[in-house]
Amino acid sequence: MSYQCPLCHHALITRSGGFECENNHQFDSAKEGYVNLMPVQHKRSKQPGDNVDMMQARRRFLAAEQYHQMREAVAELCLKYTENTPRQILDIGCGEGYYTAYIANKLAEQSNCATCYGLDISKVAIRYAAKRYTSKYMQFCVASSHRLPFANNSLDAVVRIYAPCQEQELERVLTAQGVIITVTPAARHLYQLREQVYSDVHLHDEAAEAIAGFELVEESKLGYDMNLTGEQADDLLQMTPFAWKANEELRTQLRAAPELICETDFMIRVYKRH
């Protein structure tokens, strides 16, 4: 399977140095190995997605493997629900490829035709992912999660770890047996970190997302404590939606702290077509 043209939606055919469709829309592969399928007219800003500082903070934090247990759980679900399929999987909002690469390597242990696609709106993040992870079992693209550059009924699973996407697009690209695997914050996720930012911390809502055309078939909760250094706590903060509420004084205090014990609390769900 390959990509589809984001302009006319015809299949993209591999050519030397990139891809093109029958309408002669051409997309060059970057030297790092990814392809940019985000036409300029689809951008809402000049450089959409996370900036370099946010990306580097996330990269450092994930490299410490604090989220590995969640990554492992997601990979196991990908294996379980794509058994006896071509194992074409999309990781939406993949960032620097931390989850994408791990899932791809797990799939490769069982199938030599599997592919895990990593998609993100951030060109900076995708460039880093493609440069670091070069296995034939994964491909990276810059694209919008609201206009997925994949053909109808071409994917066996879509992974969404804190990533938004249009319901209609999920229904369009997944096969009849395809699944959506989501990770969202459970009630106490990062409670101790949020205490540093808010005077009144509210628990996250654990209600399951309703996805049109799909039903919830599996749900589990995963939680454990992380022992973070001050620098790791600051990096984690920069990955969160509430980072904008933290002033520089708070960040300085976090970085200077010898340790922060912080809870993880994940809701992991699987959805299948009705």
Side-chain angles (χ1 to χ4, degrees), residues 202-232:
H202 299 284
L203 299 181
H204 289 295
D205 183 0
E206 294 186 352
E209 176 186 9
I211 304 177
F214 294 84
E215 62 178 330
L216 180 63
V217 295
E218 184 171 339
E219 177 180 78
S220 61
K221 197 171 180 178
L222 173 65
Y224 53 90
D225 288 345
M226 300 181 291
N227 288 70
L228 305 176
T229 66
E231 292 289 342
Q232 288 173 341

Side-chain angles (χ1 to χ4, degrees), residues 56-88:
Q56 290 177 341
R58 183 169 62 234
R59 185 176 70 193
R60 288 191 299 266
F61 178 82
L62 293 175
E65 301 286 22
Q66 297 284 1
Y67 276 7
H68 174 69
Q69 290 185 52
M70 181 264 280
R71 179 175 66 169
E72 177 71 26
V74 171
E76 290 302 318
L77 289 173
C78 287
L79 292 174
K80 174 182 175 181
Y81 282 96
T82 62
E83 192 174 8
N84 301 319
T85 76
R87 287 185 157 157
Q88 301 296 296

Side-chain angles (χ1 to χ4, degrees), residues 39 45 59 61 92 124 204 270:
S45 63
R59 185 176 70 193
F61 178 82
I92 290 180
V124 173
H204 289 295
V270 182

Side-chain angles (χ1 to χ4, degrees), residues 12-256:
L12 287 176
I13 308 301
T14 304
R15 62 167 174 80
S16 177
F19 299 86
E20 66 180 347
C21 71
E22 63 183 50
N23 288 328
N24 206 34
H25 297 130
Q26 299 183 358
F27 303 88
D28 295 335
S29 293
K31 63 180 180 180
E32 293 87 355
Y34 70 91
V35 60
N36 191 336
L37 298 175
M38 173 69 80
V40 65
Q41 56 267 46
H42 291 174
K43 292 184 179 181
R44 294 183 180 179
S45 63
K46 187 175 181 180
Q47 293 294 339
D50 292 346
N51 61 37
V52 173
D53 289 342
M54 294 166 67
M55 187 203 78
Q56 290 177 341
R58 183 169 62 234
R59 185 176 70 193
R60 288 191 299 266
F61 178 82
L62 293 175
E65 301 286 22
Q66 297 284 1
Y67 276 7
H68 174 69
Q69 290 185 52
M70 181 264 280
R71 179 175 66 169
E72 177 71 26
V74 171
E76 290 302 318
L77 289 173
C78 287
L79 292 174
K80 174 182 175 181
Y81 282 96
T82 62
E83 192 174 8
N84 301 319
T85 76
R87 287 185 157 157
Q88 301 296 296
I89 295 178
L90 170 63
D91 178 15
I92 290 180
C94 70
E96 304 78 49
Y98 175 78
Y99 303 103
T100 319
Y102 190 79
I103 293 168
N105 290 334
K106 285 289 186 179
L107 294 171
E109 293 173 2
Q110 299 188 10
S111 170
N112 61 10
C113 65
T115 306
C116 192
Y117 294 86
L119 176 152
D120 203 285
I121 200 171
S122 168
K123 185 177 177 180
V124 173
I126 288 294
R127 180 187 294 122
Y128 177 83
K131 188 174 182 178
R132 180 174 184 182
Y133 302 112
T134 57
S135 165
K136 67 177 182 178
Y137 297 105
M138 62 193 85
Q139 294 188 32
F140 292 98
C141 66
V142 179
S144 169
S145 63
H146 300 305
R147 293 184 178 91
L148 298 176
F150 298 94
N152 296 352
N153 312 120
S154 61
L155 296 172
D156 301 301
V158 171
V159 174
R160 289 174 47 208
I161 300 175
Y162 304 136
C165 187
Q166 295 281 4
E167 293 178 348
Q168 301 94 320
E169 282 292 88
L170 295 172
E171 191 167 20
R172 180 183 67 79
V173 300
L174 281 164
T175 66
Q177 300 302 315
V179 297
I180 305 166
I181 299 170
T182 69
V183 179
T184 55
R188 292 186 60 84
H189 188 54
L190 306 186
Y191 190 91
Q192 292 75 17
L193 185 62
R194 289 188 289 137
E195 278 186 315
Q196 306 289 319
V197 179
Y198 301 105
S199 57
D200 184 17
V201 182
H202 299 284
L203 299 181
H204 289 295
D205 183 0
E206 294 186 352
E209 176 186 9
I211 304 177
F214 294 84
E215 62 178 330
L216 180 63
V217 295
E218 184 171 339
E219 177 180 78
S220 61
K221 197 171 180 178
L222 173 65
Y224 53 90
D225 288 345
M226 300 181 291
N227 288 70
L228 305 176
T229 66
E231 292 289 342
Q232 288 173 341
D234 183 53
D235 284 339
L236 178 57
L237 176 65
Q238 298 313 300
M239 292 167 52
T240 69
F242 47 91
W244 65 276
K245 289 282 290 184
N247 56 36
E248 190 56 38
E249 181 182 0
L250 172 58
R251 292 191 58 193
T252 300
Q253 291 174 356
L254 269 181
R255 288 192 293 265

